[in-house]
């Protein structure tokens, strides 16, 4: 896609990100971002639950540059976990370590993350650490490793199939609850596969690898071909449905989401919310050409 590099570049523009907070959910963003408050997110999740879908919510946050911002984000994540418990929705939490101060100070980030995962453990919930760009990959896995010594069942992360290191990471993370994705950031040929065909092949390969190890696997894709191949593989290998789930993004392919849930599979929807929606939205536009027309329809409908 010719526009992909442009949208990925725009996703990192701090000036536009600050402006977007003042715009509100524009450019079609409200179709794929549940709202700006915790109540908005809980309302969206309740509706998903009514259709047999479970969820993971993400309080969007990027470009955290101070200790105060990181602590504020931590507090919001804990409040979100408590709102999930209070409302009784079927939902867990996703977050990014840069939200919690990873680029400010590693120890600050770890302590913030420990508070969040500790609260999740108390509430019987689960926290997914979203994977960011390659520069943050090893730091993320190191923090995950430390957290799992204390909270082995309450935290997991994401592995991106386009990274050359993915297969080794899957091997090293046997037994860890992982979300597997193709990858959404622009990375250099030195660290990431560039061919779509090869990324798809590696994606299916690491899915099978993690499933065959007996590890819980979240397959996050809108690719119906991959989904059908995973279903067939699990039938042949007699992998129980309790060992895996499918995941999709809020606002996309609603009919397919409900169809998969109706077939008896766990279908989890990634529900982003918050004022800091701009970077997330730009990355979604970068992923698929269809998303650009989707956004333009939303903008022109104002």
């Amino acid at each position: 896609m010719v526009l992909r590099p442009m949208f990925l570049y725009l996703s990192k523009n701090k000036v536009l990100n600050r402006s977007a907070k003042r715009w509100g959910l524009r450019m079609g963003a409200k179709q794929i971002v549940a709202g700006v408050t915790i109540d908005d997110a809980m309302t969206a999740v309740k509706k998903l639950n009514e259709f047999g879908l479970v969820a993971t919510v993400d309080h969007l946050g990027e470009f955290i540059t101070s200790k105060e911002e990181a602590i504020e984000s931590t507090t919001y994540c804990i409040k979100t976990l408590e709102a999930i418990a209070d409302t009784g929705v079927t939902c867990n939490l996703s977050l990014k370590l840069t939200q919690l101060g990873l680029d400010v100070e590693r120890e600050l980030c770890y302590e913030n993350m420990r508070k969040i995962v500790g609260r999740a453990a108390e509430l019987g919930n689960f926290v997914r650490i979203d994977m960011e760009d390659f520069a943050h990959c090893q730091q993320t896995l190191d923090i995950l490793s430390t957290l799992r010594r204390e909270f082995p069942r309450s935290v997991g992360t994401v592995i991106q199939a386009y990274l050359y290191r993915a297969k080794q990471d899957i091997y090293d993370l046997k037994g860890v609850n992982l979300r597997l994705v193709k990858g959404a950031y622009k990375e250099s040929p030195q660290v990431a596969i560039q061919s779509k065909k090869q990324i798809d092949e590696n994606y299916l390969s690491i899915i099978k690898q993690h499933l065959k190890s007996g590890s819980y696997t979240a397959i996050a894709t809108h690719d119906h071909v991959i989904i059908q191949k995973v279903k067939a593989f699990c039938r042949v290998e007699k992998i129980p449905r309790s060992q895996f789930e499918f995941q999709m993004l809020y606002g996309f392919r609603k009919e397919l989401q409900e169809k998969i849930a109706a077939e008896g599979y766990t279908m989890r929807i990634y529900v982003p919310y918050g004022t800091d929606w701009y970077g997330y939205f730009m990355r979604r536009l970068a992923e698929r050409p269809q998303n650009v027309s989707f956004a333009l329809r939303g903008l022109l409908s104002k």
Side-chain angles (χ1 to χ4, degrees):
M1 178 185 175
V2 175
L3 294 176
R4 175 179 164 84
M6 180 190 75
F7 283 119
L8 289 175
Y9 173 78
L10 290 174
S11 74
K12 296 181 179 181
N13 189 298
K14 297 181 181 181
V15 174
L16 289 175
N17 185 70
R18 286 194 296 270
S19 298
K21 291 181 181 180
R22 297 193 296 271
W23 299 338
L25 295 175
R26 303 286 179 84
M27 300 188 297
K30 72 175 183 179
Q31 299 177 67
I32 64 172
V33 177
V36 297
T37 68
I38 293 176
D39 286 345
D40 290 337
M42 294 302 101
T43 298
V45 172
K46 283 180 185 177
K47 290 179 181 177
L48 292 170
N49 287 174
E50 289 170 3
F51 285 94
L53 307 166
V54 298
T56 182
V57 291
D58 180 4
H59 178 236
L60 298 171
E62 302 194 32
F63 309 118
I64 297 296
T65 58
S66 71
K67 179 179 179 180
E68 291 73 25
E69 289 175 313
I71 291 172
E72 180 182 358
S73 184
T74 300
T75 300
Y76 220 95
C77 287
I78 291 171
K79 286 181 178 179
T80 302
L81 285 167
E82 291 170 347
I84 291 169
D86 291 342
T87 56
V89 294
T90 306
C91 181
N92 54 40
L93 178 71
S94 293
L95 51 76
K96 291 179 173 59
L97 292 185
T98 52
Q99 285 177 266
L100 309 179
L102 184 58
D103 290 339
V104 179
E105 181 187 330
R106 185 190 182 281
E107 191 58 30
L108 167 70
C109 176
Y110 171 74
E111 288 301 325
N112 287 338
M113 190 65 196
R114 186 175 177 276
K115 290 174 186 175
I116 294 167
V117 178
R119 188 64 177 129
E122 291 172 354
L123 296 170
N125 211 326
F126 177 83
V127 178
R128 177 86 61 192
I129 305 173
D130 288 340
M131 188 59 72
E132 301 180 67
D133 59 8
F134 182 77
H136 294 97
C137 182
Q138 189 58 51
Q139 296 175 83
T140 299
L141 296 182
D142 290 345
I143 288 175
L144 171 72
S145 178
T146 306
L147 287 166
R148 291 193 72 253
R149 291 173 201 155
E150 188 174 1
F151 308 105
R153 296 182 181 86
S154 302
V155 62
T157 192
V158 179
I159 296 298
Q160 302 177 104
Y162 67 175
L163 296 182
Y164 292 124
R165 62 177 292 167
K167 282 184 179 293
Q168 184 61 47
D169 286 337
I170 292 289
Y171 178 82
D172 294 340
L173 293 167
K174 177 182 177 180
V176 180
N177 182 329
L178 296 177
R179 176 197 293 149
L180 305 184
V181 302
K182 293 184 183 182
Y185 294 86
K186 181 175 175 57
E187 302 290 0
S188 75
Q190 284 69 46
V191 301
I193 303 167
Q194 304 296 305
S195 159
K196 181 184 181 303
K197 181 175 182 293
Q198 291 178 333
I199 292 170
D200 287 353
E201 290 171 352
N202 202 47
Y203 184 45
L204 191 58
S205 176
I206 66 170
I207 290 169
K208 292 178 178 179
Q209 181 184 347
H210 205 51
L211 285 168
K212 288 183 76 172
S213 75
S215 308
Y216 193 85
T217 308
I219 301 107
T221 182
H222 295 175
D223 187 333
H224 63 277
V225 175
I226 293 286
I227 291 168
Q228 289 304 118
K229 287 181 178 180
V230 170
K231 289 178 182 177
F233 174 78
C234 290
R235 284 195 297 270
V236 170
E237 296 293 327
K238 295 182 170 53
I239 294 169
R241 294 184 182 186
S242 59
Q243 192 194 314
F244 66 96
E245 65 185 50
F246 294 104
Q247 295 190 0
M248 291 188 186
L249 299 173
Y250 179 75
F252 295 100
R253 308 208 70 176
K254 186 173 181 289
E255 290 183 4
L256 180 57
Q257 293 171 4
E258 293 175 9
K259 179 177 181 291
I260 290 171
E263 291 171 347
Y265 295 96
T266 300
M267 181 76 243
R268 189 175 303 277
I269 310 304
Y270 182 94
V271 181
Y273 76 99
T275 59
D276 204 358
W277 54 269
Y278 171 79
Y280 172 84
F281 185 60
M282 286 296 114
R283 287 192 293 275
R284 299 295 78 77
L285 295 185
E287 284 175 349
R288 300 168 71 234
Q290 299 93 317
N291 294 353
V292 179
S293 58
F294 178 80
L296 287 173
R297 287 198 302 272
L299 180 62
L300 294 173
S301 68
K302 296 294 180 292

